[in-house]
Amino acid sequence: MKRILLIVGGGIAAYKACELVRLCRKAGIGVKCVLTEGGQHFVTPMTLAALSESQVYTTLWDLKDETEMGHIQLSREADLVVVAPATADLMAKMAAGIADDLATTLLLATDKPVLAAPAMNVRMWQHAATRRNVATLRTDGVTVLEPDEGPMACGEYGPGRLPEPDAILAAIQNALETGGRLKGKHVLVTAGPTHEPIDPVRYIANRSSGRQGFAIAEALARLGAKVTLVSGPVALATPAGVTRVDVETAQEMANAVASALPADAAVMVAAVGDWRADAAPQKIKKGAAPPNLQLSENPDILALLAKSPHRPKLVIGFAAETEQVIEHATAKRARKGADWIVANDVSGDVMGGDANTVHLVTAQGVEHWERLPKSEVARRLADRIADAL
Ligand code: CTP
């Protein structure tokens, strides 16, 4: 049996750790819990002991435990150390190598892989100090999951919610290599805008932030898929467990997609520039009249992939529409040869925003997913892909 050591930090999301313990036990994973002092304000050792069917450890200064178990021994028994919820404070201590209680001492003493599921207020998550600490932890080899976006216990909205227990379980199973519904499957994802140069300093671009595509890549990786993410220029961190290929132009994206094949499924989320300019070799100087841009059409990466002899079993396109959303998406599905189209109503200010209303157009009909955070759209789509493969 695979075993984890679960460190429960002090945050309101600690109650979700109880559900996580239950899910792990159901999945046949052994769980030993360490509860920080802060964590004890939110859940009791008794709750976790009952759910894990094992003693719960709370202090470094219990002599009996130090002789019998030893703080190093506790983590030695485990195949994986999981921190959930990983508070801003706990991650700061991990990043700095501080060991001033049982949890942080174990984290510093362990030679086992560590997975952290953060949960905190949105401003704490976005604070420069936390950004630095997360980057340090990732460099140190810790898998730090992206928190979910949504309404928070403190009344604010944004990223910082603990990922749902089933998503953490999937990440645990992935790390333990005990499964995940997409284990053994390769999924290709494109994301972000493209930049089409006009001259060495100027380009044609669009407003795509890449967030929806990155969220999909992350959700697929959480289900155990091998994910190749071909991304245009964006300011986003690579999700844990995802292989990222950076490109600038549509032509580069088309080449990167072709090189990443074969794949079992492809999700084309990128807002690929439809046209490219005949780029001037030198910076165009401001003259008497504005320059005339000669545009030519870019390859349609999705349509080419759908027709290719190496076509993945499942080809999914996105359609950003401002009107007649479903009609346009249905026509696009047929025209491009995609299996599914995720139609995105961009008549509001969705591009770059957090929430999304989408319509899933398949051969069977249309499903409506109303105003969901992009992470939830991603989770549902990943689930549907797992069903289909
Ligand atoms: N796409 C692509 N390569 C392109 C253009 C689009 O792979 N050169 C993909 C996108 O990633 C997306 C889908 O095609 O999955 C829909 O793109 P969209 O721009 O909405 O379609 P267009 O064919 O450009 O149609 P429209 O006239 O609405 O712009």
Side-chain angles (χ1 to χ4, degrees):
M1 180 168 66
K2 295 279 186 182
R3 292 169 204 280
I4 64 164
L5 179 70
L6 175 64
I7 294 174
V8 180
I12 180 62
Y15 78 92
K16 288 193 193 168
C18 302
E19 176 67 1
L20 177 62
V21 174
R22 202 185 63 79
L23 291 178
C24 285
R25 296 294 298 124
K26 212 171 123 198
I29 298 167
V31 183
K32 271 220 164 92
C33 294
V34 167
L35 193 52
T36 66
E37 201 190 325
Q40 291 174 62
H41 290 286
F42 295 95
V43 293
T44 69
M46 181 72 86
T47 316
L48 291 172
L51 290 167
S52 65
E53 300 165 82
S54 177
Q55 187 186 341
V56 171
Y57 300 83
T58 54
T59 167
L60 198 51
W61 309 117
D62 187 331
L63 210 54
K64 185 162 162 277
D65 288 344
E66 275 302 292
T67 46
E68 284 180 15
M69 292 291 300
H71 54 257
I72 296 181
Q73 187 62 28
L74 252 185
S75 71
R76 234 180 229 157
E77 280 183 345
D79 299 291
L80 175 73
V81 179
V82 179
V83 190
T87 59
D89 172 67
L90 204 42
M91 288 200 296
K93 284 180 176 161
M94 288 166 75
I98 292 172
D100 62 356
D101 64 1
L102 178 60
T104 49
T105 303
L106 285 167
L107 284 161
L108 195 60
T110 190
D111 58 353
K112 295 297 162 59
V114 178
L115 177 95
M120 67 197 69
N121 166 274
V122 54
R123 283 178 222 293
M124 291 167 91
W125 173 250
Q126 286 167 343
H127 194 283
T130 306
R131 309 277 80 228
R132 255 192 329 267
N133 292 333
V134 169
T136 302
L137 289 173
R138 285 184 173 149
T139 309
D140 291 349
V142 174
T143 302
V144 182
L145 301 182
E146 286 296 317
D148 278 357
E149 294 178 23
M152 316 199 73
C154 54
E156 292 187 71
Y157 186 98
R161 286 164 60 95
L162 186 74
E164 289 304 320
D166 61 343
I168 303 176
L169 173 65
I172 290 171
Q173 288 177 315
N174 207 5
L176 293 173
E177 295 190 348
T178 55
R181 300 176 63 213
L182 283 170
K183 191 170 162 55
K185 303 289 182 191
H186 178 210
V187 186
L188 179 60
V189 180
T190 67
T194 61
H195 285 183
E196 307 296 334
I198 296 170
D199 68 16
V201 297
R202 303 182 179 96
Y203 55 79
I204 305 171
N206 60 63
R207 290 187 192 279
S208 168
S209 67
R211 297 178 65 171
Q212 182 66 80
F214 273 57
I216 290 168
E218 180 177 16
L220 291 163
R222 278 183 183 177
L223 293 189
K226 174 177 178 290
V227 181
T228 305
L229 172 62
V230 179
S231 175
V234 295
L236 294 172
T238 311
V242 167
T243 305
R244 172 168 172 179
V245 183
D246 283 314
V247 297
E248 284 205 3
T249 66
Q251 190 57 59
E252 286 170 13
M253 189 173 274
N255 295 343
V257 164
S259 307
L261 295 173
D264 298 285
V267 193
M268 316 301 270
V269 199
V272 184
D274 287 323
W275 308 284
R276 66 175 172 275
D278 228 347
Q282 305 299 336
K283 184 180 171 197
I284 303 170
K285 302 303 286 180
K286 190 156 64 179
N292 274 326
L293 292 181
Q294 288 303 316
L295 298 179
S296 41
E297 203 167 315
N298 270 328
D300 190 318
I301 305 169
L302 170 58
L304 286 174
L305 184 69
K307 277 192 227 106
S308 128
H310 306 291
R311 185 191 199 279
K313 180 175 171 214
L314 185 63
V315 175
I316 304 168
F318 267 64
E321 308 289 351
T322 54
E323 46 155 14
Q324 293 177 280
V325 176
I326 289 156
E327 292 78 354
H328 283 315
T330 307
K332 213 165 264 184
R333 178 178 169 271
R335 190 169 74 241
K336 300 204 180 205
D339 298 298
W340 303 347
I341 290 279
V342 181
N344 214 334
D345 188 341
V346 290
S347 53
D349 60 348
V350 163
M351 279 200 160
D354 285 334
N356 228 347
T357 289
V358 303
H359 312 276
L360 180 66
V361 182
T362 70
Q364 280 72 46
V366 184
E367 275 176 44
H368 307 283
W369 297 352
E370 301 284 344
R371 269 208 84 68
L372 296 176
K374 289 183 176 178
S375 56
E376 182 57 22
V377 171
R379 211 181 59 76
R380 285 200 196 183
L381 190 64
D383 244 5
R384 298 296 294 270
I385 293 170
D387 289 343
L389 289 183

